[in-house]
Amino acid sequence: MTRSLRLAPVLAILWFVLSDGAASGVGFGVLAVLLALGAVHVARPSRVHDRTEPVRLRWLAVPRFAVFFLGQSLLAGIDVARRTLSPSLPLDPAMRDVYLQLPPGPPRVLLVATLSLLPGSLGVDLHDHQLTLHVLDQRADIEGDVREAERQVGALFGLTLA
């Protein structure tokens, strides 16, 4: 119950941000938050397989991650708009495999969700420590983007990466 009380406001804020604060979607937002809390209780991802202690969110790191997340979301929106308005913009789509350093569990799940908001990338498959991304332009610095996102998510959970 304590876990739900801590997680519910975070999910509600996330819903508010994603819905652009539209009052018309409040009922759906409440339902989405309740379903997400139910899924958390069913999955119970409180322990990471590679570690013996629970992975805990570092609340003081949330603002820094939020700035990163919102900045990347803005860049992704600008990138999509630019590609839509300029069809001649060269695309070089590909599937790229990337090795992940984050441990399994909540940090890795959040990383994959975050990477899907990076400009031109979408998480397609996750198997052990390998993530397959679909990218719009394989000439972009995909590896660098993934490492930066990993650092940001790692800091959110108090994890230090090599």
Side-chain angles (χ1 to χ4, degrees):
M1 188 65 167
T2 304
R3 184 178 192 186
S4 293
L5 291 175
R6 288 190 319 228
L7 186 57
V10 173
L11 293 172
I13 290 169
L14 179 62
W15 175 259
F16 182 77
V17 169
L18 293 176
S19 68
D20 293 330
S24 61
V26 171
F28 187 70
V30 170
L31 178 62
V33 168
L34 291 174
L35 288 173
L37 287 173
V40 166
H41 284 288
V42 170
R44 301 202 50 97
S46 60
R47 295 205 177 261
V48 175
H49 302 295
D50 295 345
R51 298 169 53 111
T52 56
E53 71 273 1
V55 176
R56 299 202 188 279
L57 186 67
R58 304 296 189 249
W59 290 103
L60 292 177
V62 169
R64 180 182 171 108
F65 180 78
V67 168
F68 169 77
F69 180 84
L70 293 173
Q72 291 302 308
S73 295
L74 178 65
L75 288 176
I78 290 169
D79 184 59
V80 169
R82 186 175 56 118
R83 291 177 194 277
T84 301
L85 296 173
S86 176
S88 64
L89 192 63
L91 294 176
D92 193 9
M95 301 295 262
R96 295 278 303 269
D97 290 329
V98 182
Y99 181 82
L100 300 180
Q101 299 174 15
L102 286 172
R108 197 176 288 174
V109 170
L110 181 60
L111 173 69
V112 173
T114 301
L115 289 173
S116 293
L117 292 173
L118 289 177
S121 65
L122 175 67
V124 175
D125 187 32
L126 178 61
H127 190 269
D128 293 326
H129 288 281
Q130 185 171 314
L131 172 66
T132 302
L133 288 171
H134 177 270
V135 296
L136 291 178
D137 189 354
Q138 65 180 326
R139 297 167 299 203
D141 183 18
I142 304 303
E143 187 78 22
D145 290 343
V146 170
R147 294 298 156 241
E148 178 58 25
E150 270 192 312
R151 279 190 291 280
Q152 294 290 334
V153 171
L156 189 59
F157 288 94
L159 302 170
T160 305
L161 303 176

